[in-house]
Amino acid sequence: MTNPVRLVGRWALSEIKNMGSMFIFLVTSVGHIFIPPFKFRLMLRQIWFFGNKSLLVILLTGSFTGMVLSLQVFYTLNKFGSEALLGPAVALSLIRELGPVLSALMVTGRAGSALTAEIGIMRISEQIDALISMALSPKRYLIVPNLVAALIAFPLLGAIFDLIGIYGGYVVAVKLLGLSSGTYFSQMQSFVNMDDIWVGVVKSLSFGLIVAWVSCYKGYNAGFGAKGVSRATTEAVVLSSLSSILILIWDYFIGSVWV
Amino acid sequence: MKIEIIDLRKSFNGQEVLKGVNLTIHDRELIVIIGRSGVGKSVLLKHLIGLYRPDSGSILIEGEDIFKVCYRDVCRLRERFGVLFQGGALFDSMTVFENVAFPLQEKTRLSKAEIRQRVDHALEDVGLTGVEDKYPAELSGGMRKRVALARALITEPSIVLFDEPTTGLDPISLNSIHRLIIRTHKKYQFTGVVISHDIPQIFDIADRVAMLHDGRIVEVGLPEEIQRSENPVVKQFITGSLEGPIKVLQ
């Protein structure tokens, strides 16, 4: 009778311990962001790692998302005779929700797992120990550049996703469905305001922080051998995706307050 | 620099690996710690630079307990160490030059020209030239160890730790690394701690030899004393016999 209780208790304690350790990891890493010397070259390299390597997939998913959105929303608006609002509908959906969320999910799948594997390999090949033995902080060299890079790259990728998505929607709306290009863009200008853009930016920032945090933490604490790295990588992707779901829920609440 | 290890204990997942290690390492001596694989030699070495924290016990570096001083002082103590890790632990995204120059770039204010000069000199010291622009993955195991040794010595540390410096090397590379250790020790006069199970070669390089068995140092002495030891554990280990107090899986 006590065994299942004990098992649940042990599981709960270990999860609380993990959460605590993840939180401490984040706090100490963020603390290092503000302490010089700053590693600008490493940060630039990691922005390139997140940004450039994910650009193609962002361009593809962004354009097709905008196109599908335009097609489906036109079908709905047509029923009410409000096709003129297609531009703002596509732009608001992309800027407030789809841009940050989908671009973050694309980057998580590609760069998040690669980041965990890279740091995990540095852990098992004692490169992190080598940094510590040189009296250098591994967090400054490995974690901070990734956190900063993600905080810069995610909003930028989200913006590119929005832009390409709006143009994808334009192609479908104007070239395929016969809407005038003036209607598509002029209505957009009057309906999209700065607050909408801020909502998207805040979401992208939170996604960036979560993906970099989870991926770095999992890699930094990878177990022994190749198996440890592979497990850490899988856990990082699963955790990042779960976090995305949590963020979506959280976004809903933010969205309902921030209208 | 003198190192004192006092009653060091460490467990992993309830299994006690170090059960009260006591050892004094004298200034500028080259001590070799021998013992079977998995006995805790690398764990002991990693305690010396504070990579692991013990369950109890202390390590004094020139009288300062590395586990009791503040983080800044731990860093100050670590700056006096050079470590040659088992696999070299070279940064695989950097070239050989960048690897060896890294501690100087990060910890000193030397100019680029001075760093270039020091790196060239360090690589020459370990018998490597013309590989500066290669990446670690392009080097053989022996060459990687040499680069790692050059990186460990570049800051002219007072203590150098060697974690199984010859693992995975052929006999010729093994002897050349041993010769390199002797030569650099003579030249830089550091306190050296070598983890190894290269019997009998280590008797030629060591000032003293200590044997770690069952979580404790069971014997420490001059190489010839260890070779003549009557301790059955030491005797079995250095002869490689299957019969004796050390349990062997058949």
Side-chain angles (χ1 to χ4, degrees), chain B residues 218-219 224-236 238 245:
Chain B
V218 288
E219 183 134 358
E224 47 277 18
E225 288 170 353
I226 295 292
Q227 281 170 293
R228 286 198 309 263
S229 170
E230 286 304 316
N231 185 323
V233 172
V234 179
K235 224 171 171 178
Q236 186 190 352
I238 59 175

mmCIF file of all heavy atoms in Angstrom, chain B residues 218-219 224-236 238 245:
data_model
loop_
_atom_site.group_PDB
_atom_site.id
_atom_site.type_symbol
_atom_site.label_atom_id
_atom_site.label_comp_id
_atom_site.label_asym_id
_atom_site.label_seq_id
_atom_site.Cartn_x
_atom_site.Cartn_y
_atom_site.Cartn_z
ATOM 1 N N VAL B 218 46.164 2.841 -0.628
ATOM 2 C CA VAL B 218 46.638 1.696 0.160
ATOM 3 C C VAL B 218 48.151 1.702 0.337
ATOM 4 O O VAL B 218 48.675 1.080 1.257
ATOM 5 C CB VAL B 218 46.183 0.356 -0.460
ATOM 6 C CG1 VAL B 218 44.702 0.134 -0.277
ATOM 7 C CG2 VAL B 218 46.569 0.241 -1.919
ATOM 8 N N GLU B 219 48.844 2.391 -0.567
ATOM 9 C CA GLU B 219 50.302 2.462 -0.407
ATOM 10 C C GLU B 219 50.829 3.653 -1.194
ATOM 11 O O GLU B 219 50.347 3.964 -2.277
ATOM 12 C CB GLU B 219 50.955 1.171 -0.914
ATOM 13 C CG GLU B 219 52.439 1.138 -0.705
ATOM 14 C CD GLU B 219 52.945 -0.184 -0.111
ATOM 15 O OE1 GLU B 219 52.108 -1.051 0.172
ATOM 16 O OE2 GLU B 219 54.161 -0.305 0.052
ATOM 17 N N GLU B 224 60.653 2.419 -6.665
ATOM 18 C CA GLU B 224 61.291 1.136 -6.338
ATOM 19 C C GLU B 224 60.652 0.482 -5.105
ATOM 20 O O GLU B 224 60.564 -0.744 -5.019
ATOM 21 C CB GLU B 224 62.817 1.262 -6.196
ATOM 22 C CG GLU B 224 63.333 2.408 -5.357
ATOM 23 C CD GLU B 224 63.432 3.732 -6.112
ATOM 24 O OE1 GLU B 224 62.806 3.884 -7.186
ATOM 25 O OE2 GLU B 224 64.105 4.636 -5.591
ATOM 26 N N GLU B 225 60.174 1.327 -4.174
ATOM 27 C CA GLU B 225 59.486 0.786 -2.986
ATOM 28 C C GLU B 225 58.180 0.113 -3.393
ATOM 29 O O GLU B 225 57.820 -0.942 -2.882
ATOM 30 C CB GLU B 225 59.188 1.910 -1.983
ATOM 31 C CG GLU B 225 60.426 2.418 -1.268
ATOM 32 C CD GLU B 225 60.160 3.705 -0.460
ATOM 33 O OE1 GLU B 225 59.053 4.270 -0.576
ATOM 34 O OE2 GLU B 225 61.067 4.122 0.258
ATOM 35 N N ILE B 226 57.467 0.741 -4.312
ATOM 36 C CA ILE B 226 56.191 0.172 -4.771
ATOM 37 C C ILE B 226 56.452 -1.135 -5.508
ATOM 38 O O ILE B 226 55.736 -2.128 -5.330
ATOM 39 C CB ILE B 226 55.447 1.185 -5.687
ATOM 40 C CG1 ILE B 226 55.050 2.435 -4.899
ATOM 41 C CG2 ILE B 226 54.226 0.561 -6.344
ATOM 42 C CD1 ILE B 226 53.988 2.235 -3.827
ATOM 43 N N GLN B 227 57.522 -1.141 -6.313
ATOM 44 C CA GLN B 227 57.838 -2.362 -7.063
ATOM 45 C C GLN B 227 58.205 -3.515 -6.141
ATOM 46 O O GLN B 227 57.956 -4.672 -6.463
ATOM 47 C CB GLN B 227 58.987 -2.090 -8.045
ATOM 48 C CG GLN B 227 58.507 -1.368 -9.297
ATOM 49 C CD GLN B 227 59.646 -0.883 -10.157
ATOM 50 O OE1 GLN B 227 60.400 0.007 -9.754
ATOM 51 N NE2 GLN B 227 59.772 -1.450 -11.335
ATOM 52 N N ARG B 228 58.782 -3.165 -4.975
ATOM 53 C CA ARG B 228 59.192 -4.211 -4.015
ATOM 54 C C ARG B 228 58.131 -4.450 -2.949
ATOM 55 O O ARG B 228 58.332 -5.247 -2.036
ATOM 56 C CB ARG B 228 60.497 -3.788 -3.323
ATOM 57 C CG ARG B 228 61.735 -3.881 -4.195
ATOM 58 C CD ARG B 228 62.986 -3.869 -3.318
ATOM 59 N NE ARG B 228 62.977 -2.740 -2.376
ATOM 60 C CZ ARG B 228 63.604 -1.586 -2.600
ATOM 61 N NH1 ARG B 228 64.300 -1.412 -3.686
ATOM 62 N NH2 ARG B 228 63.544 -0.607 -1.709
ATOM 63 N N SER B 229 56.994 -3.752 -3.076
ATOM 64 C CA SER B 229 55.984 -3.791 -2.012
ATOM 65 C C SER B 229 55.506 -5.209 -1.709
ATOM 66 O O SER B 229 55.350 -6.046 -2.603
ATOM 67 C CB SER B 229 54.785 -2.925 -2.423
ATOM 68 O OG SER B 229 53.730 -3.126 -1.523
ATOM 69 N N GLU B 230 55.279 -5.453 -0.414
ATOM 70 C CA GLU B 230 54.765 -6.758 0.015
ATOM 71 C C GLU B 230 53.246 -6.722 0.152
ATOM 72 O O GLU B 230 52.613 -7.731 0.450
ATOM 73 C CB GLU B 230 55.400 -7.161 1.360
ATOM 74 C CG GLU B 230 56.855 -7.599 1.252
ATOM 75 C CD GLU B 230 57.066 -8.739 0.275
ATOM 76 O OE1 GLU B 230 56.266 -9.702 0.296
ATOM 77 O OE2 GLU B 230 58.005 -8.667 -0.547
ATOM 78 N N ASN B 231 52.663 -5.527 -0.027
ATOM 79 C CA ASN B 231 51.201 -5.397 0.056
ATOM 80 C C ASN B 231 50.582 -6.242 -1.062
ATOM 81 O O ASN B 231 50.859 -6.021 -2.248
ATOM 82 C CB ASN B 231 50.828 -3.903 -0.107
ATOM 83 C CG ASN B 231 49.341 -3.670 0.096
ATOM 84 O OD1 ASN B 231 48.512 -4.482 -0.303
ATOM 85 N ND2 ASN B 231 49.016 -2.560 0.726
ATOM 86 N N PRO B 232 49.728 -7.215 -0.709
ATOM 87 C CA PRO B 232 49.213 -8.134 -1.735
ATOM 88 C C PRO B 232 48.417 -7.423 -2.832
ATOM 89 O O PRO B 232 48.443 -7.842 -3.992
ATOM 90 C CB PRO B 232 48.318 -9.097 -0.952
ATOM 91 C CG PRO B 232 48.124 -8.509 0.404
ATOM 92 C CD PRO B 232 49.251 -7.571 0.648
ATOM 93 N N VAL B 233 47.713 -6.325 -2.474
ATOM 94 C CA VAL B 233 46.927 -5.581 -3.468
ATOM 95 C C VAL B 233 47.861 -4.951 -4.501
ATOM 96 O O VAL B 233 47.668 -5.078 -5.718
ATOM 97 C CB VAL B 233 46.059 -4.495 -2.774
ATOM 98 C CG1 VAL B 233 45.405 -3.594 -3.802
ATOM 99 C CG2 VAL B 233 45.022 -5.132 -1.877
ATOM 100 N N VAL B 234 48.908 -4.278 -3.995
ATOM 101 C CA VAL B 234 49.876 -3.607 -4.868
ATOM 102 C C VAL B 234 50.587 -4.646 -5.732
ATOM 103 O O VAL B 234 50.735 -4.482 -6.955
ATOM 104 C CB VAL B 234 50.889 -2.795 -4.035
ATOM 105 C CG1 VAL B 234 51.908 -2.111 -4.931
ATOM 106 C CG2 VAL B 234 50.177 -1.774 -3.165
ATOM 107 N N LYS B 235 50.963 -5.711 -5.080
ATOM 108 C CA LYS B 235 51.705 -6.777 -5.761
ATOM 109 C C LYS B 235 50.875 -7.342 -6.924
ATOM 110 O O LYS B 235 51.369 -7.500 -8.040
ATOM 111 C CB LYS B 235 51.988 -7.897 -4.749
ATOM 112 C CG LYS B 235 53.386 -8.433 -4.815
ATOM 113 C CD LYS B 235 53.608 -9.352 -3.652
ATOM 114 C CE LYS B 235 54.928 -10.072 -3.825
ATOM 115 N NZ LYS B 235 55.198 -10.934 -2.707
ATOM 116 N N GLN B 236 49.609 -7.643 -6.622
ATOM 117 C CA GLN B 236 48.738 -8.207 -7.659
ATOM 118 C C GLN B 236 48.556 -7.219 -8.810
ATOM 119 O O GLN B 236 48.580 -7.591 -9.984
ATOM 120 C CB GLN B 236 47.364 -8.571 -7.072
ATOM 121 C CG GLN B 236 46.484 -9.297 -8.078
ATOM 122 C CD GLN B 236 45.040 -9.461 -7.601
ATOM 123 O OE1 GLN B 236 44.711 -9.156 -6.455
ATOM 124 N NE2 GLN B 236 44.189 -9.960 -8.482
ATOM 125 N N ILE B 238 50.541 -4.671 -9.832
ATOM 126 C CA ILE B 238 51.691 -4.401 -10.709
ATOM 127 C C ILE B 238 52.149 -5.654 -11.477
ATOM 128 O O ILE B 238 52.777 -5.528 -12.520
ATOM 129 C CB ILE B 238 52.879 -3.724 -9.982
ATOM 130 C CG1 ILE B 238 53.387 -4.561 -8.836
ATOM 131 C CG2 ILE B 238 52.520 -2.335 -9.521
ATOM 132 C CD1 ILE B 238 54.637 -3.957 -8.199
ATOM 133 N N PRO B 245 43.927 -10.524 -3.726
ATOM 134 C CA PRO B 245 42.802 -9.877 -3.035
ATOM 135 C C PRO B 245 41.903 -9.037 -3.953
ATOM 136 O O PRO B 245 40.754 -8.773 -3.616
ATOM 137 C CB PRO B 245 43.487 -8.980 -2.008
ATOM 138 C CG PRO B 245 44.865 -8.778 -2.511
ATOM 139 C CD PRO B 245 45.222 -9.980 -3.311
#
